[in-house]
Amino acid sequence: MMKRILNCRASDFQMGVTGERLREAIIASEGRVIMAEIAVNAPPLFAEVTNAELLCAFGADLLLLKGINFQQPALNGGDKRFGADPFSQVKFLTGRLTGVNFEVLPAEALPHPGAFLPAHLNAMRHADFFCLTGYDKPGVTAGRMRQTIAQLREQTDKPILAAKFYISGLAAPDEYASYIDAGADGAIFPAPGGCRGASQEKVSQIVQAVQTRGGLAITTLSSSQEGADCDTVREIGLASKRCGSDMHNFGDAGVAGMADPQALNALSIAIRGRRHTWVRMAASMSR
Protein backbone atom coordinates (compact mmCIF):
# COMPACT_ATOMS: atom_id res chain seq x y z
CA MET A 1 0.00 0.00 0.00
CA MET A 2 1.27 3.47 -0.86
CA LYS A 3 1.60 5.96 1.98
CA ARG A 4 -0.87 8.80 2.05
CA ILE A 5 0.12 11.49 -0.45
CA LEU A 6 0.80 13.97 2.34
CA ASN A 7 3.65 11.76 3.58
CA CYS A 8 5.08 10.81 0.18
CA ARG A 9 8.41 12.22 -0.93
CA ALA A 10 10.33 12.02 -4.22
CA SER A 11 11.48 8.45 -3.61
CA ASP A 12 7.88 7.31 -3.03
CA PHE A 13 6.75 9.02 -6.23
CA GLN A 14 9.34 7.08 -8.23
CA MET A 15 7.51 3.82 -7.53
CA GLY A 16 5.02 2.43 -10.00
CA VAL A 17 1.48 3.54 -9.21
CA THR A 18 -1.71 1.64 -9.98
CA GLY A 19 -5.14 3.19 -9.82
CA GLU A 20 -5.94 1.31 -6.62
CA ARG A 21 -2.77 2.42 -4.85
CA LEU A 22 -3.24 6.06 -5.83
CA ARG A 23 -6.88 6.03 -4.72
CA GLU A 24 -5.86 4.68 -1.32
CA ALA A 25 -3.09 7.26 -0.93
CA ILE A 26 -5.37 10.17 -1.83
CA ILE A 27 -8.35 9.00 0.22
CA ALA A 28 -6.08 8.56 3.24
CA SER A 29 -5.05 12.22 2.90
CA GLU A 30 -8.58 13.33 3.85
CA GLY A 31 -9.23 16.02 1.28
CA ARG A 32 -5.80 17.63 1.52
CA VAL A 33 -4.25 16.84 -1.90
CA ILE A 34 -3.63 19.38 -4.66
CA MET A 35 -3.12 18.66 -8.35
CA ALA A 36 -1.94 21.46 -10.62
CA GLU A 37 -2.22 21.62 -14.39
CA ILE A 38 0.63 22.78 -16.63
CA ALA A 39 0.03 23.96 -20.21
CA VAL A 40 3.17 22.60 -21.86
CA ASN A 41 3.07 25.01 -24.79
CA ALA A 42 2.96 28.15 -22.64
CA PRO A 43 6.25 30.00 -22.08
CA PRO A 44 7.46 29.77 -18.48
CA LEU A 45 6.68 32.69 -16.21
CA PHE A 46 10.39 32.98 -15.43
CA ALA A 47 13.00 31.74 -17.87
CA GLU A 48 15.17 30.29 -15.11
CA VAL A 49 12.69 27.55 -14.14
CA THR A 50 9.79 25.63 -15.67
CA ASN A 51 6.27 26.36 -14.52
CA ALA A 52 6.15 22.85 -13.09
CA GLU A 53 9.07 23.58 -10.78
CA LEU A 54 7.46 26.85 -9.72
CA LEU A 55 4.14 25.27 -8.75
CA CYS A 56 5.89 22.50 -6.85
CA ALA A 57 7.82 25.13 -4.91
CA PHE A 58 4.46 26.61 -3.83
CA GLY A 59 3.00 23.29 -2.66
CA ALA A 60 1.56 21.19 -5.52
CA ASP A 61 1.41 17.43 -4.85
CA LEU A 62 0.59 16.12 -8.35
CA LEU A 63 1.08 17.65 -11.78
CA LEU A 64 -1.06 17.21 -14.89
CA LEU A 65 0.45 18.13 -18.27
CA LYS A 66 -2.08 19.54 -20.74
CA GLY A 67 -1.96 20.58 -24.36
CA ILE A 68 0.69 18.08 -25.44
CA ASN A 69 1.08 17.55 -29.17
CA PHE A 70 1.68 13.82 -28.99
CA GLN A 71 3.07 13.76 -32.50
CA GLN A 72 5.76 16.27 -31.56
CA PRO A 73 5.80 16.41 -27.74
CA ALA A 74 7.66 19.39 -26.30
CA LEU A 75 7.75 21.43 -23.09
CA ASN A 76 8.13 25.17 -23.56
CA GLY A 77 11.15 26.13 -21.46
CA GLY A 78 12.17 22.50 -21.08
CA ASP A 79 15.57 21.00 -21.70
CA LYS A 80 16.37 17.71 -23.43
CA ARG A 81 19.14 17.15 -20.87
CA PHE A 82 16.39 16.18 -18.43
CA GLY A 83 14.42 13.87 -20.71
CA ALA A 84 13.21 13.32 -24.23
CA ASP A 85 9.59 14.42 -23.68
CA PRO A 86 7.55 16.73 -21.41
CA PHE A 87 6.70 14.03 -18.88
CA SER A 88 10.28 12.85 -18.48
CA GLN A 89 11.57 16.40 -18.05
CA VAL A 90 8.95 17.41 -15.49
CA LYS A 91 9.35 14.17 -13.55
CA PHE A 92 13.13 14.59 -13.41
CA LEU A 93 12.95 18.24 -12.34
CA THR A 94 10.19 17.95 -9.73
CA GLY A 95 10.04 14.33 -8.52
CA ARG A 96 6.23 14.66 -8.29
CA LEU A 97 3.64 12.22 -9.59
CA THR A 98 3.03 13.53 -13.10
CA GLY A 99 0.20 12.70 -15.48
CA VAL A 100 -0.69 13.55 -19.05
CA ASN A 101 -4.02 14.68 -20.44
CA PHE A 102 -5.71 13.32 -23.55
CA GLU A 103 -8.64 15.15 -25.12
CA VAL A 104 -11.72 13.06 -25.85
CA LEU A 105 -13.08 13.70 -29.35
CA PRO A 106 -15.70 12.01 -31.55
CA ALA A 107 -14.38 9.32 -33.86
CA GLU A 108 -14.95 11.47 -36.94
CA ALA A 109 -12.65 14.19 -35.52
CA LEU A 110 -9.68 11.84 -35.30
CA PRO A 111 -6.76 11.83 -35.75
CA HIS A 112 -5.92 14.89 -33.66
CA PRO A 113 -2.47 15.64 -32.16
CA GLY A 114 -3.84 16.03 -28.65
CA ALA A 115 -6.51 13.34 -28.61
CA PHE A 116 -6.59 9.90 -27.05
CA LEU A 117 -5.30 7.43 -29.63
CA PRO A 118 -3.39 4.15 -29.14
CA ALA A 119 -0.27 5.65 -30.76
CA HIS A 120 -0.42 8.64 -28.42
CA LEU A 121 -0.83 6.39 -25.40
CA ASN A 122 2.21 4.37 -26.47
CA ALA A 123 4.25 7.57 -26.66
CA MET A 124 3.30 8.49 -23.07
CA ARG A 125 2.86 5.06 -21.50
CA HIS A 126 5.58 5.89 -18.96
CA ALA A 127 3.46 8.67 -17.40
CA ASP A 128 2.33 8.13 -13.79
CA PHE A 129 -1.37 8.60 -14.56
CA PHE A 130 -3.72 9.65 -17.34
CA CYS A 131 -6.59 12.11 -17.61
CA LEU A 132 -9.31 12.06 -20.26
CA THR A 133 -10.96 15.46 -20.78
CA GLY A 134 -14.09 16.09 -22.80
CA TYR A 135 -15.17 19.64 -23.54
CA ASP A 136 -18.61 20.80 -24.61
CA LYS A 137 -18.23 20.02 -28.32
CA PRO A 138 -20.52 18.26 -30.81
CA GLY A 139 -20.19 14.50 -30.46
CA VAL A 140 -18.33 14.64 -27.14
CA THR A 141 -21.09 13.01 -25.15
CA ALA A 142 -21.14 11.17 -21.85
CA GLY A 143 -21.37 7.96 -23.87
CA ARG A 144 -18.27 8.88 -25.82
CA MET A 145 -16.49 9.61 -22.54
CA ARG A 146 -17.40 6.18 -21.16
CA GLN A 147 -16.34 4.47 -24.37
CA THR A 148 -12.93 6.17 -24.29
CA ILE A 149 -12.43 5.43 -20.59
CA ALA A 150 -13.14 1.74 -21.22
CA GLN A 151 -10.69 1.70 -24.15
CA LEU A 152 -7.93 3.22 -22.03
CA ARG A 153 -8.66 0.92 -19.08
CA GLU A 154 -8.17 -2.11 -21.31
CA GLN A 155 -4.62 -0.93 -21.99
CA THR A 156 -3.37 0.16 -18.56
CA ASP A 157 -3.70 -0.42 -14.83
CA LYS A 158 -2.40 3.07 -14.09
CA PRO A 159 -4.72 5.69 -12.59
CA ILE A 160 -7.30 7.20 -14.94
CA LEU A 161 -9.09 10.47 -14.21
CA ALA A 162 -12.07 11.67 -16.24
CA ALA A 163 -13.25 15.25 -16.71
CA LYS A 164 -16.33 16.33 -18.69
CA PHE A 165 -17.23 20.00 -18.89
CA TYR A 166 -20.43 21.71 -20.02
CA ILE A 167 -21.10 25.34 -20.87
CA SER A 168 -24.41 25.01 -19.02
CA GLY A 169 -22.67 24.02 -15.77
CA LEU A 170 -22.80 20.77 -13.83
CA ALA A 171 -24.06 17.46 -15.19
CA ALA A 172 -26.21 15.10 -13.12
CA PRO A 173 -24.40 13.19 -10.33
CA ASP A 174 -25.05 9.85 -12.05
CA GLU A 175 -23.12 10.96 -15.13
CA TYR A 176 -19.92 11.55 -13.17
CA ALA A 177 -20.49 8.29 -11.28
CA SER A 178 -20.87 6.44 -14.59
CA TYR A 179 -17.28 7.33 -15.46
CA ILE A 180 -16.15 5.32 -12.44
CA ASP A 181 -18.30 2.39 -13.59
CA ALA A 182 -16.62 2.64 -17.01
CA GLY A 183 -13.17 2.23 -15.47
CA ALA A 184 -11.98 5.63 -14.27
CA ASP A 185 -10.42 5.95 -10.81
CA GLY A 186 -11.61 9.52 -10.33
CA ALA A 187 -13.99 12.10 -11.77
CA ILE A 188 -13.17 15.80 -12.08
CA PHE A 189 -15.96 18.39 -11.87
CA PRO A 190 -16.29 22.10 -10.96
CA ALA A 191 -15.88 23.15 -7.34
CA PRO A 192 -18.62 25.10 -5.55
CA GLY A 193 -18.73 28.47 -7.29
CA GLY A 194 -16.51 27.06 -10.03
CA CYS A 195 -19.15 27.30 -12.73
CA ARG A 196 -22.64 28.70 -13.16
CA GLY A 197 -25.04 26.99 -10.76
CA ALA A 198 -22.38 25.01 -8.88
CA SER A 199 -23.85 25.29 -5.40
CA GLN A 200 -22.34 23.49 -2.46
CA GLU A 201 -25.43 21.28 -2.27
CA LYS A 202 -25.14 20.17 -5.91
CA VAL A 203 -21.42 19.52 -5.68
CA SER A 204 -21.95 17.50 -2.48
CA GLN A 205 -24.40 15.27 -4.35
CA ILE A 206 -21.83 14.64 -7.10
CA VAL A 207 -19.12 13.88 -4.52
CA GLN A 208 -21.35 11.36 -2.81
CA ALA A 209 -22.35 9.68 -6.09
CA VAL A 210 -18.72 9.30 -7.23
CA GLN A 211 -17.46 8.07 -3.88
CA THR A 212 -20.32 5.58 -3.57
CA ARG A 213 -19.02 3.95 -6.76
CA GLY A 214 -15.53 3.77 -5.23
CA GLY A 215 -14.05 6.68 -7.19
CA LEU A 216 -12.11 9.78 -6.25
CA ALA A 217 -14.20 12.96 -6.21
CA ILE A 218 -11.99 15.73 -7.56
CA THR A 219 -13.19 19.33 -7.51
CA THR A 220 -11.55 21.76 -9.90
CA LEU A 221 -10.88 25.46 -10.01
CA SER A 222 -10.64 26.16 -13.72
CA SER A 223 -12.26 28.27 -16.46
CA SER A 224 -9.68 30.98 -15.62
CA GLN A 225 -10.88 31.14 -12.00
CA GLU A 226 -7.47 29.75 -11.01
CA GLY A 227 -6.31 33.34 -11.46
CA ALA A 228 -8.71 34.66 -8.81
CA ASP A 229 -7.52 36.46 -5.69
CA CYS A 230 -6.30 34.39 -2.77
CA ASP A 231 -9.35 35.04 -0.57
CA THR A 232 -11.70 33.71 -3.25
CA VAL A 233 -9.53 30.64 -3.80
CA ARG A 234 -9.47 29.92 -0.05
CA GLU A 235 -13.26 30.19 0.13
CA ILE A 236 -13.77 27.80 -2.79
CA GLY A 237 -11.19 25.36 -1.44
CA LEU A 238 -12.85 25.19 1.97
CA ALA A 239 -16.28 24.81 0.33
CA SER A 240 -14.90 21.87 -1.67
CA LYS A 241 -13.56 20.30 1.49
CA ARG A 242 -16.94 20.73 3.19
CA CYS A 243 -18.46 18.84 0.25
CA GLY A 244 -16.10 15.94 0.93
CA SER A 245 -13.80 16.40 -2.08
CA ASP A 246 -10.86 13.96 -2.16
CA MET A 247 -8.57 16.18 -4.23
CA HIS A 248 -8.43 19.78 -5.41
CA ASN A 249 -7.43 20.45 -9.02
CA PHE A 250 -6.11 23.80 -10.28
CA GLY A 251 -6.48 24.66 -13.97
CA ASP A 252 -3.85 26.07 -16.31
CA ALA A 253 -5.23 29.54 -17.13
CA GLY A 254 -4.24 31.51 -14.04
CA VAL A 255 -0.98 32.97 -15.29
CA ALA A 256 1.46 31.80 -18.00
CA GLY A 257 -0.17 28.40 -18.49
CA MET A 258 -0.57 27.49 -14.83
CA ALA A 259 -2.45 28.46 -11.68
CA ASP A 260 -1.38 31.60 -9.86
CA PRO A 261 1.36 30.18 -7.58
CA GLN A 262 0.35 32.46 -4.71
CA ALA A 263 -3.27 31.34 -5.00
CA LEU A 264 -2.17 27.70 -4.99
CA ASN A 265 -0.18 28.34 -1.85
CA ALA A 266 -3.17 30.07 -0.24
CA LEU A 267 -5.36 27.08 -1.08
CA SER A 268 -2.79 24.70 0.37
CA ILE A 269 -2.55 26.56 3.67
CA ALA A 270 -6.35 26.79 3.90
CA ILE A 271 -7.09 23.10 3.34
CA ARG A 272 -4.11 21.57 5.21
CA GLY A 273 -2.29 24.24 7.20
CA ARG A 274 1.30 25.46 7.27
CA ARG A 275 2.80 22.17 8.43
CA HIS A 276 1.91 20.07 5.39
CA THR A 277 2.30 23.01 3.03
CA TRP A 278 5.77 23.98 4.17
CA VAL A 279 6.99 20.37 4.33
CA ARG A 280 5.85 19.84 0.73
CA MET A 281 7.55 23.06 -0.31
CA ALA A 282 10.80 22.32 1.52
CA ALA A 283 11.30 18.56 1.14
CA SER A 284 14.48 17.68 -0.74
CA MET A 285 14.43 15.65 -3.96
CA SER A 286 16.92 13.34 -2.21
CA ARG A 287 14.32 12.13 0.30
Side-chain angles (χ1 to χ4, degrees), residues 179-242:
Y179 300 149
I180 308 303
D181 294 338
D185 296 288
I188 300 174
F189 45 88
C195 72
R196 179 171 45 186
S199 67
Q200 197 166 308
E201 179 183 4
K202 290 181 179 179
V203 174
S204 293
Q205 292 170 355
I206 296 170
V207 168
Q208 184 175 7
V210 170
Q211 291 175 342
T212 297
R213 298 296 218 287
L216 294 170
I218 304 164
T219 46
T220 183
L221 257 171
S222 48
S223 301
S224 298
Q225 202 170 19
E226 56 269 40
D229 63 278
C230 292
D231 286 343
T232 299
V233 169
R234 288 189 197 98
E235 181 181 341
I236 293 174
L238 290 173
S240 294
K241 198 172 179 184
R242 284 193 290 270

Side-chain angles (χ1 to χ4, degrees), residues 2 22 104 144 185 208 243:
M2 191 173 178
L22 185 63
V104 177
R144 179 61 175 167
D185 296 288
Q208 184 175 7
C243 291

Side-chain angles (χ1 to χ4, degrees), residues 15-251:
M15 300 166 57
V17 182
T18 64
E20 181 179 0
R21 292 181 68 228
L22 185 63
R23 280 200 311 273
E24 291 174 351
I26 291 175
I27 290 171
S29 298
E30 302 169 328
R32 295 177 288 178
V33 178
I34 297 175
M35 180 169 69
E37 298 177 5
I38 308 288
V40 300
N41 58 350
L45 184 61
F46 301 116
E48 293 87 349
V49 294
T50 63
N51 287 341
E53 292 170 271
L54 194 58
L55 288 183
C56 288
F58 279 78
D61 300 301
L62 288 79
L63 299 172
L64 176 62
L65 306 185
K66 300 194 77 174
I68 298 176
N69 179 336
F70 295 106
Q71 297 168 8
Q72 295 179 313
L75 175 67
N76 198 326
D79 192 321
K80 289 294 182 68
R81 291 179 301 165
F82 306 123
D85 58 73
F87 164 79
S88 300
Q89 293 174 34
V90 168
K91 185 74 173 182
F92 181 90
L93 291 168
T94 68
R96 298 292 203 275
L97 281 178
T98 304
V100 297
N101 182 73
F102 298 107
E103 185 174 354
V104 177
L105 293 171
E108 58 270 21
L110 301 174
H112 182 281
F116 171 73
L117 291 168
H120 297 166
L121 173 61
N122 289 336
M124 291 289 150
R125 195 172 287 277
H126 52 309
D128 292 320
F129 63 92
F130 305 107
C131 182
L132 295 170
T133 300
Y135 298 104
D136 202 348
K137 298 179 179 181
V140 185
T141 62
R144 179 61 175 167
M145 286 290 298
R146 290 189 289 268
Q147 180 187 44
T148 308
I149 292 166
Q151 289 174 344
L152 178 54
R153 176 51 70 208
E154 289 177 354
Q155 301 177 62
T156 184
D157 66 349
K158 290 186 177 181
I160 298 173
L161 308 180
K164 179 70 174 81
F165 297 107
Y166 294 96
I167 294 173
S168 58
L170 296 171
D174 283 348
E175 178 177 326
Y176 300 106
S178 74
Y179 300 149
I180 308 303
D181 294 338
D185 296 288
I188 300 174
F189 45 88
C195 72
R196 179 171 45 186
S199 67
Q200 197 166 308
E201 179 183 4
K202 290 181 179 179
V203 174
S204 293
Q205 292 170 355
I206 296 170
V207 168
Q208 184 175 7
V210 170
Q211 291 175 342
T212 297
R213 298 296 218 287
L216 294 170
I218 304 164
T219 46
T220 183
L221 257 171
S222 48
S223 301
S224 298
Q225 202 170 19
E226 56 269 40
D229 63 278
C230 292
D231 286 343
T232 299
V233 169
R234 288 189 197 98
E235 181 181 341
I236 293 174
L238 290 173
S240 294
K241 198 172 179 184
R242 284 193 290 270
C243 291
S245 173
D246 293 304
M247 184 162 71
H248 309 258
N249 180 58
F250 243 127

